Amino acid sequence: MTALAAADEESFAARARAFAAIHAGRATETLISNLHARVETIRCASGDLPVTVHDGRAGDAWVCSPRTTYADCAAEESARYLPGWMAPASLRMISSIGRSLGWAGIDHAVAINNWLLSTNLYPPRAWLDPGVLLEQAVARWPHHALWFRSLNEHDNADWLEALQAAGCRLVASRQVYLYADIGALAGMHGNLKRDLALPRKTSLRHCRDQDITDADYARIAELYALLYIGKYSRFNPMYSEAFLRCWHHAGLLAFEGFRDADGRLTCVIGLFRMGRTATAPIVGYDTTQPQKSALYRLTTACAYRACLEHGWRLNFSAGAAGFKRLRGGMPSIEYSAVYARHLPTRTRIAVDALSSTTCRIGIPLLRRYRL
């Protein structure tokens, strides 16, 4: 193992320990108000992987609830993005899927390597054996389906192959946008180049991670909620001020944004990194401000700039697809790999049906409408 790989492995283990120190043995709803799950860990060669155990509570955030993801959120997305003539049939199909998933007990779900974020980042496949992980998980949680979320076909092809070989079914979830080389992309995409220059032109005051104070966490939670809860979906995780404080103090999130003349944050982004890849689970801005303020562009420019400066790859998750494509984001289908061979027939049938529906119908729709 190279020195860089060894350092990345230790960094992963340290982050997993920090996550467990915050969440293990603590009710998730004390930090994320719309999420009721237990946080545990499972041992692997590189340390303890985070695990969430969800026992079927309806209406929970989608990051732990498969039913919310594939019924409630899917209904919202269909109404928002599909052509009007398609919506009625789509909503009827999704309603039927929701009833089927509820009947099958799909929300009794254990998610392995689940960091309670919209996008989980994975360690290199060579560090551990997915088959061994599944054996341990079946023994510990014999009544739960086993989920590996956030696996995309570009970054995690080896994980997807190994998990399918071990008996998992692939369930398509969304289309994410990946940036491998921000510098090269800025030379090819004028929108990205202009965004990288935008922070030098704004009258707002730049706020780096070291400038975040205790008084800022409530404002960060407010800005995140304005965008992700108010504008997008009530099923996104409702991160509290306490969550943001704990994660920031533990080094799991790095914040950056801009302040107004009164010193109040008007936009902010929180980056989570694993190895050479970063993602942005926290994005927020004052949605009451006029679009000409370019607050969303300023916010995302912080992520692009950080990845450019450090040589990181960026997984910019899903959403704002047109915006991300114009800046060189490469679309990639994201999946969950689901193991249910140890469960009753009705659960296995539901997982098989979900896999077939999302892969045969969902993926073509994601690609056709460039979502």
Side-chain angles (χ1 to χ4, degrees):
M1 181 182 294
T2 67
L4 181 59
D8 284 346
E9 186 170 8
E10 174 50 36
S11 174
F12 173 82
R15 289 171 184 270
R17 289 193 297 270
F19 177 92
I22 294 169
H23 293 285
R26 183 176 191 171
T28 53
E29 62 268 27
T30 63
L31 296 177
I32 307 170
S33 60
N34 62 340
L35 185 58
H36 302 78
R38 301 192 307 279
V39 173
E40 301 183 19
T41 61
I42 190 167
R43 190 69 181 167
C44 70
S46 299
D48 291 336
L49 282 177
V51 173
T52 59
V53 183
H54 192 260
D55 290 319
R57 180 165 175 136
D60 265 0
W62 69 271
V63 295
C64 286
S65 167
R67 190 201 175 281
T68 297
T69 302
Y70 294 101
D72 301 319
C73 288
E76 287 183 338
E77 295 288 291
S78 294
R80 183 179 293 126
Y81 294 116
L82 293 182
W85 64 268
M86 289 186 66
S90 174
L91 290 173
R92 284 195 297 272
M93 181 182 71
I94 291 168
S95 177
S96 175
I97 289 172
R99 290 192 297 272
S100 173
L101 295 178
W103 169 77
I106 201 72
D107 257 5
H108 290 269
V110 163
I112 298 170
N113 193 50
N114 191 8
W115 296 74
L116 305 175
L117 305 176
S118 56
T119 302
N120 296 310
L121 299 178
Y122 279 74
R125 158 69 185 82
W127 289 2
L128 44 84
D129 185 340
V132 172
L133 279 179
L134 285 169
E135 289 178 10
Q136 293 183 59
V138 168
R140 282 182 62 180
W141 301 288
H143 306 298
H144 291 70
L146 306 175
W147 291 72
F148 292 78
R149 290 180 43 239
S150 307
L151 294 159
N152 73 71
E153 54 192 359
H154 183 267
D155 291 339
N156 311 116
D158 51 354
W159 273 92
L160 290 168
E161 181 182 1
L163 287 167
Q164 286 184 94
C168 290
R169 293 298 305 270
L170 297 189
V171 178
S173 53
R174 48 186 196 158
Q175 191 156 238
V176 297
Y177 289 85
L178 311 176
Y179 299 77
D181 185 336
I182 299 294
L185 290 170
M188 296 184 284
H189 298 273
N191 287 285
L192 178 55
K193 185 176 181 179
R194 287 189 289 272
D195 283 359
L196 286 168
L198 192 61
R200 298 194 297 271
K201 301 177 180 180
T202 182
S203 61
L204 298 171
R205 179 160 55 89
H206 189 205
C207 173
R208 289 190 177 269
D209 187 60
Q210 61 266 27
D211 302 319
I212 296 294
T213 70
D214 195 66
D216 289 320
Y217 297 118
R219 178 60 170 168
I220 295 171
E222 178 185 14
L223 293 173
Y224 167 84
L226 282 172
L227 181 63
Y228 272 85
I229 308 302
K231 187 174 180 180
Y232 291 149
S233 174
R234 65 189 177 92
F235 297 110
N236 279 320
M238 297 179 184
Y239 297 122
S240 68
E241 173 185 350
F243 174 96
L244 299 168
R245 181 183 292 108
C246 288
W247 271 57
H248 189 227
H249 287 178
L252 293 172
L253 282 173
F255 292 117
E256 189 173 349
F258 290 86
R259 300 185 189 275
D260 62 19
D262 296 324
R264 195 169 189 232
L265 285 168
T266 60
C267 59
V268 68
I269 196 164
L271 293 181
F272 175 76
R273 183 175 58 85
M274 196 71 72
R276 307 291 101 189
T277 303
T279 188
I282 306 298
V283 180
Y285 64 91
D286 187 347
T287 56
T288 67
Q289 296 298 309
Q291 189 172 0
K292 66 181 180 180
S293 302
L295 293 180
Y296 183 68
R297 288 178 60 206
L298 271 175
T299 306
T300 56
C302 292
Y304 293 131
R305 181 208 53 77
C307 291
L308 177 63
E309 287 185 359
H310 297 285
W312 299 334
R313 300 176 67 261
L314 177 63
N315 181 329
F316 226 159
S317 197
F323 180 96
K324 293 169 184 175
R325 284 177 183 268
L326 285 173
R327 286 148 182 84
M330 180 184 72
S332 184
I333 298 296
E334 183 185 86
Y335 300 87
S336 287
V338 189
Y339 188 87
R341 288 186 173 183
H342 58 301
L343 295 177
T345 301
R346 65 181 184 180
T347 307
R348 298 198 305 272
I349 290 173
V351 169
D352 289 346
L354 189 61
S355 174
S356 296
T357 302
T358 58
C359 291
R360 294 177 182 175
I361 300 175
I363 290 176
L365 288 176
L366 289 170
R367 289 176 170 154
R368 168 67 177 82
Y369 293 101
R370 308 184 82 182
L371 299 178

